[in-house]
Amino acid sequence: MNDSTYHSRLGGLPGQTELLSSKAIFTTAYAVIPRSVMTDIVTSILPHWDNTRAWIIARPMTGFAETFAQYVMEVEAGGGSLRPEPDSRAQAALFVTEGEMIVELDGGAHQLRTGSFAYLPAGSSWSVRNHSGSAVRFHWIRKVFQAVDGLAPPPAIFTHEGEQQMVAMPDTEGKWATTRFIDPADVRYDMHVNIVTFEPGGTIPFMETHVMEHGLYVLEGKAVYRLNADWVEVEAGDFMWLRAFCPQACYAGGPGRFRYLLYKDVNRHVPLW
């Protein structure tokens, strides 16, 4: 049984009496895109998508984070796409935060609902359609697949958070746990998408510094996150975008649990230019 809630509602426009200042920031090491700036006027309309808008919250940028793009998608009733992905090199990870949709992959139909996850291999033929009576909202992570000689390409995955075990980090008494949608021991995959959960008082008790790039979308709750040399207060609907080797830590002060959707690139040698 899955009792999770996920922040999904974006859009609108602040009134003329609102302060224009916010915690939005872009640095050489990290960026924070708070939910307050994800308004109607920063959306994108995508080719071959009907009744759809997207908040593009990460894209490859030379000198910053270069491995992935992340979209927050909103597809109205009857909307979708028969040609969603323009790049045959790109694999996709989808995570539904609200609503229902049908994903067809190589002729097979899969119904996704709130909490569903899908991994779609590069070069596969897939489509999305919302046959329900209300909007569906989901994250779409795109990454060029890095093939490895001698390794078979990874298969598709269709699952749900409620079907996956939440694994506690060692010696944390369950205060810091990870739900993994992709087997971390399977090197055929070159990216992972997880949900990280902190109970009130849980911490990342050291400054993580590593080669993986991150996208962190806060699904639930609030916390104080250390990004490089700064402590930043974040809440449900905020997005953090971390460059490789950006030091990071976290303190989840409560009152409820703190959860985020996490992207990282994994399992490949560093390319030498």
Side-chain angles (χ1 to χ4, degrees):
M1 187 70 177
N2 179 37
D3 61 354
S4 299
T5 59
Y6 315 108
H7 188 277
S8 63
R9 299 297 179 96
L10 302 178
L13 190 67
Q16 291 289 293
T17 59
E18 297 292 327
L19 296 177
L20 59 83
S21 59
S22 80
K23 60 191 173 189
I25 187 170
F26 192 97
T27 75
T28 56
Y30 72 89
V32 176
I33 305 176
R35 70 185 190 187
S36 61
V37 305
M38 299 188 205
T39 65
D40 292 337
I41 63 172
V42 299
T43 58
S44 296
I45 305 300
L46 302 175
H48 305 300
W49 283 82
D50 302 321
N51 300 330
T52 298
R53 60 179 182 170
W55 287 265
I56 300 177
I57 54 178
R59 55 163 292 176
M61 295 180 64
T62 299
F64 187 67
E66 302 182 354
T67 63
F68 75 110
Q70 185 163 342
Y71 303 176
V72 182
M73 303 291 290
E74 182 179 80
V75 181
E76 297 294 340
S81 178
L82 297 175
R83 300 172 58 185
E85 177 53 70
D87 191 337
S88 62
R89 304 171 303 160
Q91 59 196 316
L94 311 179
F95 181 74
V96 182
T97 56
E98 182 182 356
E100 300 178 358
M101 64 184 184
I102 300 293
V103 172
E104 291 196 8
L105 174 68
D106 296 330
H110 303 266
Q111 184 171 8
L112 276 62
R113 68 188 195 281
T114 304
S116 290
F117 172 84
Y119 170 81
L120 309 172
S124 58
S125 176
W126 61 281
S127 64
V128 174
R129 186 59 58 183
N130 178 4
H131 294 297
S132 74
S134 56
V136 61
R137 298 175 175 88
F138 62 96
H139 286 254
W140 177 13
I141 298 170
R142 303 172 61 225
K143 180 183 185 296
V144 171
F145 178 65
Q146 294 174 266
V148 176
D149 183 45
L151 279 182
I157 298 172
F158 289 92
T159 188
H160 189 276
E161 186 193 355
E163 300 170 353
Q164 301 300 315
Q165 182 181 8
M166 187 183 294
V167 179
M169 299 294 285
D171 303 320
T172 64
E173 300 179 343
K175 292 184 178 180
W176 174 16
T178 302
T179 304
R180 297 180 173 91
F181 294 115
I182 299 173
D183 182 357
D186 193 337
V187 296
R188 293 177 297 177
Y189 296 92
D190 67 356
M191 71 171 177
H192 287 169
V193 179
N194 308 325
I195 293 178
V196 180
T197 300
F198 291 92
E199 297 297 332
T203 70
I204 297 176
F206 68 104
M207 294 294 289
E208 286 191 39
T209 307
H210 50 61
V211 70
M212 287 82 77
E213 298 177 349
H214 277 339
L216 296 86
Y217 181 87
V218 182
L219 297 169
E220 180 182 347
K222 63 186 182 70
V224 180
Y225 224 92
R226 178 66 178 254
L227 300 170
N228 201 17
D230 307 313
W231 285 101
V232 179
E233 191 173 22
V234 292
E235 63 181 341
D238 293 348
F239 180 69
M240 292 170 278
W241 187 12
L242 280 61
R243 188 177 183 176
F245 300 109
C246 175
Q248 59 187 281
C250 174
Y251 172 67
R257 62 183 184 173
F258 173 63
R259 312 183 77 222
Y260 54 81
L261 186 72
L262 171 70
Y263 159 86
K264 60 181 177 181
D265 52 313
V266 296
N267 298 341
R268 293 296 185 266
H269 284 290
V270 176
L272 303 177
W273 306 110

